[in-house]
Amino acid sequence: MKIIVTGGAGFIGGNFVHHMVKKYPEDEILNLDLLTYAGNLETLKPIEDRPNYRFVRGDIADREFVFALFEKEKPDMVVNFAAESHVDRSITDPEVFVRTNVMGTTTLLDACRTYGISRYHQVSTDEVYGDLPLDRPDLFFTEETPLHTSSPYSSSKASADLFVLAYHRTYGLPVTVSRCSNNYGPYHFPEKLIPLMISRALADEPLPVYGDGANVRDWLHVSDHCEAIDLILHKGRVGEIYNIGGHNERTNLEVVKTILRALDKPESLIRFVKDRPGHDRRYAIDPTKIETELGWKPKYNFDTGIRQTIDWYLNNEDWWKHIISGEYTGYFEKMYGERLA
Ligand code: NAD
Ligand code: TYD
């Protein structure tokens, strides 16, 4: 089996490439990534010499390139992680989200339709469902929850999902879609909440919490997400959507305080800053379908997963310090310079 994994130099795609290369030595894993600011080949160092792994640099929205690659490689499966993934960046610059997340997806779908494929899997997000009110803890996202997006990021992901499902219905393309809650774990780019707070707390720098910090996210360890996608690829029903989440809801403030306690740092580092425009209040997944149909169960809960993740950041300082010393520093000033003043 030859599997193209797009976005394999990013956070979740990188973890998925590690998982697949080690678990399926007989499969060929081709990592297709443009290496934007979020792509980092250092993530693949531990597996880059494995005989069943290759890297190709390229843009999923570049039709000529994608078609030439499919012509040459004739992949059996495509798992599409490649995306612009940061909500705050989508608010500053929405257009690249349309290009990569929507047009990149339709380009891959067209290549799959042209060259034939046994499975196209779209890695989507629970953010396509919009948000839930904080005062209704009884409500959860199911696969039937209507799409109701808030940010340019989530709108681009919802749009991509609709194209994927349309290609199944119209052209009979064998697709699956997964919608996962917030991930955390090793190789998470330090612009996102958890790695940002760990790296800044270690440097005794102020920790920017948006608004009142009461927004709730449903945290899933990235390795549980990778296992779920593996299961969907091998046992999931074509044309179906699977929600992925492990009932680990925490407010942002709880997450930040947990990190501070684990690192023995004071809460006085917390700074409440201007809220994100359109900030979703609560995400919460109902994972009944993937649990009952495919037998998926997460291995980590938030308390064990966050401890493992913090240890990973403590033991892999080189990985994230290389990022912070690069382009990211300029980005951080641009996003937070005024808010922290
Ligand atoms: P990430 O930003 O860490 O990685 C994205 C990767 O895609 C990078 O390596 C980047 O170089 C690559 N890329 C970007 N544009 C490209 C293009 N035009 N062509 C080829 N490669 C390109 O993102 P992530 O957090 O690992 O998310 C991966 C996927 O999972 C995304 O589709 C995202 O929407 C989805 N998702 C993320 C989360 C989360 O909590 N991070 C949760 C649910 C779903
Ligand atoms: P993020 O990691 O950007 O993921 P998403 O917006 O896709 O859920 O943010 C997680 C939560 O943390 C979200 O409610 C916004 C909040 N947040 C902060 O309070 N401060 C920060 O510096 C960042 C990056 C996020």
Side-chain angles (χ1 to χ4, degrees):
M1 193 72 84
K2 189 185 280 190
I3 306 173
I4 292 187
V5 177
T6 72
F11 165 45
I12 310 174
N15 277 278
F16 185 73
V17 168
H18 277 250
H19 170 90
M20 296 296 282
V21 163
K22 290 179 203 151
K23 184 166 170 191
Y24 300 105
E26 70 287 1
D27 285 348
E28 229 182 296
I29 309 298
L30 186 56
N31 174 8
L32 162 58
D33 197 296
L34 182 58
L35 299 183
T36 66
Y37 79 93
N40 183 356
L41 286 181
E42 289 188 18
T43 298
L44 286 320
K45 263 196 181 144
I47 52 101
E48 68 187 4
D49 293 329
R50 301 254 181 159
N52 63 335
Y53 170 76
R54 272 186 298 148
F55 172 72
V56 180
R57 185 172 192 179
D59 182 351
I60 59 163
D62 178 342
R63 191 161 278 262
E64 217 173 295
F65 162 78
V66 169
F67 273 63
L69 184 74
F70 273 64
E71 169 80 42
K72 178 166 168 257
E73 300 288 348
K74 304 270 180 350
D76 300 292
M77 286 188 181
V78 172
V79 186
N80 182 26
F81 290 91
E84 288 293 333
S85 69
H86 192 38
V87 173
D88 293 326
R89 286 181 188 255
S90 82
I91 294 168
T92 316
D93 181 15
E95 197 166 333
V96 67
F97 286 71
V98 178
R99 187 175 187 281
T100 291
N101 299 3
V102 185
M103 295 179 68
T105 298
T106 56
T107 304
L108 290 171
L109 291 169
D110 281 335
C112 289
R113 181 158 85 83
T114 305
Y115 292 98
I117 199 96
S118 66
R119 181 67 66 85
Y120 173 93
H121 183 74
Q122 178 73 2
V123 181
S124 186
T125 164
D126 63 353
E127 300 194 27
V128 298
Y129 300 121
D131 62 352
L132 297 163
L134 289 180
D135 60 359
R136 290 292 307 275
D138 55 315
L139 296 181
F140 297 91
F141 298 135
T142 72
E143 289 79 3
E144 275 74 48
T145 301
L147 303 183
H148 188 70
T149 58
S150 314
S151 68
Y153 163 68
S154 53
S155 301
S156 68
K157 293 295 292 184
S159 172
D161 283 12
L162 293 176
F163 276 102
V164 172
L165 296 168
Y167 273 56
H168 173 62
R169 168 134 183 194
T170 304
Y171 306 113
L173 202 69
V175 307
T176 38
V177 175
S178 54
R179 293 177 177 155
C180 190
S181 59
N182 284 65
N183 282 213
Y184 66 101
Y187 302 115
H188 203 177
F189 193 84
E191 70 182 345
K192 304 282 172 71
L193 180 74
I194 288 180
L196 183 80
M197 297 301 159
I198 296 173
S199 56
R200 289 185 67 82
L202 284 171
D204 296 305
E205 288 169 342
L207 308 185
V209 173
Y210 297 168
D212 57 8
N215 304 63
V216 170
R217 294 295 182 264
D218 185 357
W219 293 98
L220 187 75
H221 194 277
V222 64
S223 64
D224 286 320
H225 187 187
C226 293
E227 293 273 1
I229 294 172
D230 179 356
L231 261 181
I232 295 168
L233 278 184
H234 292 97
K235 296 197 183 132
R237 281 185 296 137
V238 159
E240 292 294 313
I241 298 165
Y242 294 91
N243 282 356
I244 311 172
H247 287 301
N248 278 286
E249 291 179 49
R250 295 286 186 285
T251 67
N252 292 339
L253 207 49
E254 282 169 340
V255 169
V256 173
K257 286 183 178 175
T258 301
I259 293 169
L260 286 171
R261 266 196 310 277
L263 294 174
D264 201 20
K265 297 287 183 181
E267 289 186 8
S268 57
L269 286 176
I270 294 173
R271 297 281 190 286
F272 291 98
V273 301
K274 199 166 155 251
D275 209 353
R276 169 189 284 173
H279 196 176
D280 282 336
R281 289 305 272 176
R282 171 174 171 250
Y283 302 143
I285 285 271
D286 175 351
T288 305
K289 180 174 174 181
I290 191 165
E291 286 181 351
T292 52
E293 206 180 294
L294 305 184
W296 175 82
K297 271 256 175 288
K299 293 198 176 75
Y300 288 95
N301 62 34
F302 187 72
D303 296 329
T304 53
I306 193 72
R307 191 62 255 176
Q308 183 265 9
T309 302
I310 291 170
D311 287 344
W312 188 89
Y313 277 83
L314 289 172
N315 293 326
N316 292 275
E317 284 203 350
D318 275 1
W319 183 87
W320 54 271
K321 284 196 168 157
H322 287 179
I323 294 174
I324 290 178
S325 62
E327 187 245 331
Y328 185 69
T329 312
Y331 166 75
F332 188 87
E333 290 309 319
K334 200 171 105 201
M335 299 306 272
Y336 298 107
E338 268 177 31
R339 291 197 205 177
L340 281 177

